[in-house]
Amino acid sequence: MARHRGPFDPPPLPIAALIIPSGSVIAGSLVTLLPMIASMPLLPPFGFMMLIAWRLARIEALPVWSPLLLGLIDDLFSGQPFGNAMALWSMSFIVIDLLDQRLVARDFWQDWLLASGAITAYLLFGRLMATPLQAHVDTIILVQIVVAVMLYPIVAQVISWLDRRTSAATA
């Protein structure tokens, strides 16, 4: 039985407003499939960075349950243990929601700080879940954290551009 929309319910979102945010996160996760030759794995987690950028740019862009499904897609392509992105992306959303309730207003620097903390925690917990403690990957993880944190403003600009495209599609 279909539920009828009440007089105070928001109008349904156009399909572009639903597909563009999740599609950009999936595209970020699929970057790992590009054939690249590197002596060290320095590729930042672009899918996670896109997810965080969408969450910080527009709260309503992605539903609350989206990190679980988008993390599943990332788990299929990233090479991390299955469930790693699902758990860590969902926990990141929860922590950012808790911090967002404390902050009255945010600017770009606070967003960058929140994203940097989330990216650092994601990569460190991913290292703990994916590799033995005896593995000597700490320097590589540290360099990967620095690269990801420095690339976050570019990801935020891409998300801002996509958000403007989404707004134009919904208008």
Side-chain angles (χ1 to χ4, degrees), residues 29 32 43-45 47-48 51-52 66-93 118-131 141 144:
S29 294
T32 58
L43 191 66
F48 181 69
L51 179 86
I52 294 299
S66 64
L68 192 65
L69 293 178
L70 294 171
L72 171 68
I73 293 169
D74 187 72
D75 280 336
L76 294 174
F77 295 106
S78 69
Q80 292 284 329
F82 193 71
N84 183 36
M86 291 168 48
L88 294 177
W89 289 19
S90 298
M91 283 190 275
S92 297
F93 246 49
I119 291 166
T120 301
Y122 174 70
L123 288 172
L124 290 177
F125 282 120
R127 182 257 191 259
L128 291 175
M129 293 173 80
T131 59
I141 294 293
Q144 190 178 18

Side-chain angles (χ1 to χ4, degrees), residues 3-141:
R3 183 180 166 271
H4 294 286
R5 194 167 67 85
F8 298 108
D9 289 341
L13 292 174
I15 195 74
L18 299 172
I19 289 180
I20 290 176
S22 57
S24 64
V25 174
I26 292 170
S29 294
L30 295 178
V31 167
T32 58
L33 295 179
L34 294 174
M36 289 186 249
I37 299 172
S39 59
M40 293 189 320
L42 297 178
L43 191 66
F46 282 113
F48 181 69
M49 291 169 65
M50 296 285 232
L51 179 86
I52 294 299
W54 272 112
R55 171 58 186 83
L56 292 175
R58 254 191 342 137
I59 295 171
E60 71 278 355
L62 293 166
V64 176
W65 46 264
S66 64
L68 192 65
L69 293 178
L70 294 171
L72 171 68
I73 293 169
D74 187 72
D75 280 336
L76 294 174
F77 295 106
S78 69
Q80 292 284 329
F82 193 71
N84 183 36
M86 291 168 48
L88 294 177
W89 289 19
S90 298
M91 283 190 275
S92 297
F93 246 49
I94 291 169
V95 168
I96 287 176
D97 278 339
L98 290 173
L99 291 173
D100 212 15
Q101 290 175 359
R102 299 281 183 187
L103 298 172
V104 178
R106 290 191 327 258
D107 62 355
F108 176 73
W109 298 105
Q110 289 172 327
D111 282 352
W112 197 359
L113 184 65
L114 281 172
S116 299
I119 291 166
T120 301
Y122 174 70
L123 288 172
L124 290 177
F125 282 120
R127 182 257 191 259
L128 291 175
M129 293 173 80
T131 59
L133 290 176
Q134 298 85 5
H136 299 289
V137 295
D138 297 330
T139 306
I140 295 171
I141 294 293

